Amino acid sequence: YDFIQDVTAVQRPLNNNSGGWHFWRSIGAPQHVCAPMVEQSELAFRILCRRYGTTLCYTPMFHSRLFLEDSDYRDGQFGPLDGCPEDRPLFAQFCANDPPVFAAAANIVEKTARVDAIDLNLGCPQGIAKRGNYGSFLMDDIPLVFKLVNAVHTTCSVPITVKIRVFPGDEERTLAYAKAIQDAGAQVLTVHGRGRDNKGPGAELADWDMIKKVREHLSIPVISNGNIVTFGDVEACLEATGAAGVMSAEWLRRNPALFWGGKKVCAFQMAQEYLELLSQYPCPLSFVKSHLFKLLATVDGGFNDHGELRERMGKTQSLPEVVEIVEELQRKRNGQPSYPTGTREDLLPQKPPPAPPRERKKEEEEGEEGGGV
């Protein structure tokens, strides 16, 4: 690499990646992975998923500078119960764009001895990541990405892992990107098979073939991310990509038993279990409501069938009332189970309904970010 002279204090060989597979096996070679989700992959949800077949979880994404400088933020993001014995293996994910800051923040988590790896988010495609210059908006700056990965690789005792997106239609560039990350010291790589702009309701399917090519190009474990709705998709993905594991986010929220070998679990049962877990692993009410809306919206007898309860859930600021609302939904089912549903067709691009004329005019005036064009 023509920028390697800028990387100082490299204490380990660049291609010392034989440890990647050793590390992977040491944590049980997990195949079923809960993705990092802001305000959604919190402890109670992780424990619920682990009950139903998830074998590796990520924390929500931490902002490295805030984590380092703001103790209130740090304590709120990674509490004393995170990484407890029931919550392992666990990878702590950060967004970052400053190597020393990233390494210092990672070192704080490492010293708790409650995480198995530090993960760098290079996959977030949202506007907030663009404004903050992190996530997938660093994929055009390989020298900086290399330094970020190498900073943790050379200063922390736990492995550094990375989550990326691909360069759509550009195999050569994607493989070079992945190889640079491995050479910088990454021990595991998660590949979301979509490009940075492939997001939202119009998103195209993730490219499993590109993920397979990355896996074949590297010598470290690769986790595949994208196109997972059912357990059948999990099996198909492992077969098609040869990946070490499969990660899910959106559809795991809709069905925390996604990895449970194809066995059906009633959505209301999982909702009740989640609510019970909150007594031991509390989290903000907004997280709770978001999980319950996602889990119970589309099932038979769920919120989409009972608008009055959906509205009440949206307004309440009381956990006991949240429990009452879920119990009321169950009573209306008269003891009949409701199971999460989904097919591969649900992944096809969805055209959003047109906004009312007044809203369309407002969007045209404000632009995509809502702050002027």
Side-chain angles (χ1 to χ4, degrees):
Y1 299 99
D2 57 7
F3 55 82
I4 197 65
Q5 65 272 14
D6 297 329
V7 181
T8 59
V10 178
Q11 300 169 9
R12 306 175 194 177
L14 286 180
N15 288 300
N16 181 25
N17 296 110
S18 60
W21 281 105
H22 176 77
F23 163 66
W24 191 249
R25 289 188 287 269
S26 76
I27 60 172
Q31 288 191 321
H32 304 149
V33 185
C34 173
M37 294 176 279
V38 174
E39 298 185 351
Q40 291 300 287
S41 59
E42 88 292 344
L43 179 56
F45 183 73
R46 298 196 301 263
I47 297 296
L48 177 66
C49 292
R50 290 180 191 276
R51 288 181 177 179
Y52 291 105
T54 295
T55 47
L56 168 63
C57 291
Y58 286 63
T59 66
M61 183 193 75
F62 306 148
H63 189 291
S64 58
R65 181 182 57 77
L66 291 176
F67 197 91
L68 178 63
E69 298 176 356
D70 187 334
S71 60
D72 289 338
Y73 174 87
R74 182 167 61 245
D75 294 342
Q77 294 292 315
F78 193 74
L81 295 177
D82 288 295
C84 61
E86 298 79 16
D87 189 33
R88 304 289 288 275
L90 179 68
F91 291 5
Q93 189 186 70
F94 287 87
C95 69
N97 56 25
D98 184 307
V101 169
F102 178 35
N107 188 251
I108 293 174
V109 174
E110 173 199 12
K111 288 180 177 178
T112 69
R114 289 187 278 121
V115 300
D116 297 276
I118 302 296
D119 188 74
L120 175 62
N121 180 338
L122 294 177
C124 182
Q126 304 304 326
I128 190 171
K130 183 176 183 179
R131 293 189 294 273
N133 191 36
Y134 62 81
S136 65
F137 297 93
L138 298 184
M139 63 194 298
D140 298 315
D141 190 348
I142 290 184
L144 176 57
V145 166
F146 190 103
K147 293 174 188 177
L148 285 165
V149 175
N150 195 253
V152 171
H153 177 59
T154 56
T155 59
C156 289
S157 61
V158 297
I160 172 70
T161 69
V162 181
K163 185 173 187 289
I164 67 170
R165 287 187 172 235
V166 302
F167 291 96
D170 194 335
E171 176 184 334
E172 181 178 359
R173 196 175 181 192
T174 297
L175 296 183
Y177 180 45
K179 182 64 161 55
I181 290 170
Q182 174 181 279
D183 287 348
Q187 301 297 300
V188 177
L189 183 70
T190 297
V191 183
H192 187 148
R194 294 182 173 91
R196 183 169 60 203
D197 298 324
N198 189 7
K199 60 183 180 179
E204 302 288 341
L205 290 175
D207 187 345
W208 282 358
D209 188 53
M210 185 74 85
I211 296 172
K212 178 183 178 181
K213 290 174 180 176
V214 172
R215 191 269 303 170
E216 292 172 338
H217 192 64
L218 302 186
S219 61
I220 58 175
V222 170
I223 300 171
S224 178
N225 183 207
N227 298 358
I228 304 300
V229 178
T230 68
F231 190 74
D233 295 327
V234 175
E235 295 176 308
C237 181
L238 290 171
E239 176 68 23
T241 65
V246 173
M247 175 181 285
S248 178
E250 173 69 13
W251 288 91
L252 194 60
R253 291 181 62 203
R254 299 190 189 200
N255 180 15
L258 172 63
F259 292 127
W260 199 228
K263 291 176 281 188
K264 291 184 176 181
V265 181
C266 176
F268 289 108
Q269 175 185 327
M270 290 188 284
Q272 289 289 356
E273 289 185 50
Y274 175 69
L275 290 169
E276 290 168 4
L277 283 167
L278 294 174
S279 62
Q280 186 175 357
Y281 310 114
C283 68
L285 188 64
S286 60
F287 298 11
V288 177
K289 292 165 63 174
S290 181
H291 277 305
L292 294 173
F293 275 132
K294 185 65 68 173
L295 177 58
L296 299 177
T298 60
V299 299
D300 290 339
F303 285 116
N304 286 357
D305 295 331
H306 298 285
E308 75 286 358
L309 291 178
R310 182 183 183 92
E311 182 177 358
R312 185 179 165 197
M313 177 69 85
K315 292 180 178 179
T316 185
Q317 297 300 313
S318 162
L319 182 58
E321 186 175 9
V322 166
V323 174
E324 291 175 6
I325 294 168
V326 172
E327 291 175 345
E328 178 63 19
L329 279 175
Q330 283 188 284
R331 284 194 292 270
K332 291 179 178 291
R333 286 292 292 163
N334 295 317
Q336 295 297 311
S338 293
Y339 300 110
T341 59
T343 68
R344 181 62 69 88
E345 291 184 357
D346 294 312
L347 292 172
L348 298 177
Q350 303 293 315
K351 188 175 182 179
R358 182 177 300 176
E359 292 300 318
R360 284 203 301 271
K361 185 174 186 300
K362 181 179 179 182
E363 290 170 1
E364 291 167 0
E365 291 173 348
E366 292 185 345
E368 183 180 354
E369 297 296 337
V373 294

